[in-house]
Amino acid sequence: MADVRFLPSLADVPPPAWDALHDGRNPFVAHAFLQGLEAHGCLREDWGWSPHHATLWDEERLVAAVPGYLKDNSHGEFVFDHAWAHAYAQHGLDYYPKWLGGVPYSPVTGPRLLARDDPARQALLTAIQQETRRLGLSSAHVNFPTSGEDAAFPASWLPRIDVQYHWRNPGHWRDFDGFLAEFDHKHRKNIRQERAKVLRTGATFRTVHGDEASDAELEAMFGFYLQTFRDYGNSPALTLDFLRHLARSMPRQVVMFFAEHEGRIIAGALCLRGGDTLYGRYWGAASHLPGLHFETCYYQGIDYCLREGLTVFEPGAQGEHKLARGFLPTLVHSRHWIAHPDFSAALSRWCAEEAVAVRRYAHTLTTHTPFKHRA
C-alpha cells in the first residue's frame, strides 16, 4: 500500500527522485527551483508560506507529489480569493490557514500533480482532502495546472478560470518581420515606432544565460527587481542568493535581457526557459528611455523565441497592453476543494457565474487583436 507523507521541506526528497516525476520541460517544478526557494530565504513563515508538500511513496520510491504550502494569507498566489476569505469572516469562520498546491510567486501554467499514472494522481487528491480535514483547514487549492491535469480533478474540486496573454508562434514565423507581417497596418507601425525610439537613444541589448552571467550582472538584475518592487510598494520575496543559485543549478534555463546605454546596464528582464516556452518573470530599469519597457520585456523575448525555436512566450499575469503587441488571451485554470459543504455549494455557483464572465471577456478580447486575420 502506498504511503502518504506531507513533508516540511524538499530537502527531504532526493532531487533525482522528484525530477523523475516530470518531463523537465517546465523549470518551475524542478527540484532546483522549488528547493532553492526554501534554501535561500524566499519562503518565510511570517509571509504566509510554510512548505507542506504532498508525496506518495511505494516503500522508499517516490511515485507522486504536489509542491504544497500551508498559507495564512493569499500573498504571491495570483489566483485571487480575497472575496472568499471575506465571506468566511462575515460568517465568523476562519478561511486561513489553507493548503495551496502550486509554485510560489509564479503565475505560470505547468504540471502540478506530479505522478507516474492516473491512480497515483487520484490518490494524491484524496490524501490532500484528508490532510485538509485532519488539520482543520478551510480548503485546498491547486493553482495553474495544465489543461490535461485540470480535466483529471473530480467535480468536488471547484474549477476557476482566468485570462493571461501569451505569444504563440503558429509555426511559420522565422523572424520579427515575419511576425509583424501578420499585423494590421496601425499596430505594425506602432511597434516599429516603439522599437525605433529606443534604438535612437543609443541603447543596445544583450542576452545573457545563467552560465554566462557575471556576479556583477546578477547583482544588477537583482537590483532592478528590488527597484520595481519598491516602486510599487511591494515587499520583494526573492533573494540574490536565490538568483545566484538558479544561475548555477539551471544555467541554460535562466535567460536575462540587458539594456545598456552609455557604457552601463540600465535595465534588465529576468526569464526562465522551458522545453518550448519562455517565461517572463521580473524586470526593472534605472532609466526611463522611450520604449525601454516594451523592448526589454516583450520584443527581446519574442526575438529570442524566434531565434531559439521556442513556440510560446508567457510574459506574466495581467496586462491588456500586451494584446496590442501580439500576446493573445489564453485561459488558465485553478481548482479548489472547500471543506465546508454549504460554502462549497455557494462557491460552486459563484465559480460558474465567474466563468461565464471570464469567457465573455476573453471572447471580447479576441475581437481586438492586432492581427489582420483575427481569432
Side-chain angles (χ1 to χ4, degrees), residues 19 37 49 54 60 77 79 87-88 96 102 136 145 151 175 182 189 199 207 209 220 224 227 236 267 305 325:
D19 289 333
L37 289 171
W49 292 94
E60 292 306 309
E77 298 176 21
V79 175
Y88 267 69
Y96 304 109
D175 54 29
E182 298 198 15
K189 179 181 177 182
L199 291 179
T207 301
H209 294 90
F224 295 138
Q227 181 173 333
C305 289
R325 293 162 179 87

Side-chain angles (χ1 to χ4, degrees), residues 55-79:
T55 63
L56 193 66
W57 302 77
D58 182 4
E59 295 183 349
E60 292 306 309
R61 183 176 72 117
L62 182 67
V63 296
V66 180
Y69 306 87
L70 297 175
K71 295 296 301 328
D72 59 16
N73 58 39
S74 294
H75 172 68
E77 298 176 21
F78 295 92
V79 175

Side-chain angles (χ1 to χ4, degrees), residues 224-235 283-284 293 321:
F224 295 138
Y225 161 76
L226 291 181
Q227 181 173 333
T228 297
F229 271 68
R230 283 196 300 266
D231 289 346
Y232 285 92
N234 296 324
S235 299
W283 109 287
H293 172 252
H321 60 277

Side-chain angles (χ1 to χ4, degrees), residues 18-346:
W18 181 273
D19 289 333
L21 298 178
H22 62 91
D23 63 10
R25 295 175 63 80
N26 186 291
F28 296 91
V29 293
H31 190 280
F33 185 90
L34 292 167
Q35 204 275 327
L37 289 171
E38 298 177 19
H40 296 286
C42 304
L43 300 181
R44 290 170 33 181
E45 189 173 346
D46 58 331
W47 284 359
W49 292 94
S50 297
H52 199 67
H53 307 296
T55 63
L56 193 66
W57 302 77
D58 182 4
E59 295 183 349
E60 292 306 309
R61 183 176 72 117
L62 182 67
V63 296
V66 180
Y69 306 87
L70 297 175
K71 295 296 301 328
D72 59 16
N73 58 39
S74 294
H75 172 68
E77 298 176 21
F78 295 92
V79 175
F80 302 108
D81 58 356
H82 306 293
W84 296 11
H86 182 65
Y88 267 69
Q90 284 185 316
H91 287 80
L93 299 174
D94 292 326
Y95 186 66
Y96 304 109
K98 63 181 185 178
W99 184 89
L100 172 70
V103 180
Y105 316 121
S106 303
V108 171
T109 292
R112 296 295 181 262
L113 308 179
L114 312 181
R116 299 180 184 275
D117 52 43
D118 284 337
R121 292 186 183 91
Q122 297 306 315
L124 267 180
L125 292 174
T126 298
I128 290 166
Q129 292 174 213
Q130 291 172 344
E131 181 74 352
T132 301
R133 289 195 184 281
R134 186 184 74 84
L135 295 177
L137 309 178
S138 71
S139 50
H141 311 258
V142 176
N143 288 353
F144 303 106
T146 65
S147 57
E149 287 179 318
D150 182 68
F153 282 83
S156 58
W157 285 76
L158 307 181
R160 293 185 69 188
I161 57 174
D162 199 358
V163 174
Q164 291 184 357
Y165 301 87
H166 297 172
W167 178 92
R168 294 180 183 274
N169 189 340
H172 56 267
W173 297 337
R174 295 291 177 262
D175 54 29
F176 206 93
D177 284 339
F179 163 57
L180 283 187
E182 298 198 15
F183 277 44
D184 61 38
H185 174 73
K186 173 186 172 183
H187 287 92
R188 182 167 61 247
K189 179 181 177 182
N190 287 345
I191 288 179
R192 284 177 172 162
Q193 288 178 337
E194 283 179 346
R195 301 200 81 181
K197 281 180 183 177
V198 71
L199 291 179
R200 281 198 296 269
T201 68
T204 58
F205 293 84
R206 289 189 299 120
T207 301
V208 178
H209 294 90
D211 58 348
E212 301 162 338
S214 67
D215 199 59
E217 288 169 330
L218 293 174
E219 289 182 2
M221 186 65 248
F222 185 68
F224 295 138
Y225 161 76
L226 291 181
Q227 181 173 333
T228 297
F229 271 68
R230 283 196 300 266
D231 289 346
Y232 285 92
N234 296 324
S235 299
L238 304 187
T239 64
L240 179 56
D241 282 345
F242 175 67
L243 183 54
R244 288 169 172 153
H245 161 77
L246 288 186
R248 290 193 307 268
S249 62
M250 308 173 75
R252 299 304 291 180
Q253 291 175 292
V254 173
V255 183
M256 293 176 288
F257 304 116
F258 285 117
E260 296 179 325
H261 188 251
E262 296 180 348
R264 65 189 185 97
I265 299 174
I266 61 167
L270 172 65
C271 303
L272 289 181
R273 175 178 175 162
D276 61 359
T277 304
L278 184 68
Y279 303 93
R281 294 307 302 120
Y282 303 104
W283 109 287
S287 298
H288 299 285
L289 301 180
L292 185 62
H293 172 252
F294 297 129
E295 182 66 39
T296 310
C297 290
Y298 305 137
Y299 304 143
Q300 287 293 309
I302 291 172
D303 266 334
Y304 180 86
C305 289
L306 290 165
R307 289 196 309 271
E308 296 289 316
L310 303 181
T311 57
V312 183
F313 179 17
E314 297 187 18
Q318 300 152 350
E320 288 187 9
H321 60 277
K322 296 168 185 168
L323 186 67
R325 293 162 179 87
F327 295 86
L328 297 185
T330 304
L331 294 180
V332 295
H333 304 269
S334 60
R335 286 282 180 160
H336 311 267
W337 186 79
I338 311 300
H340 194 294
D342 291 340
F343 265 100
S344 182

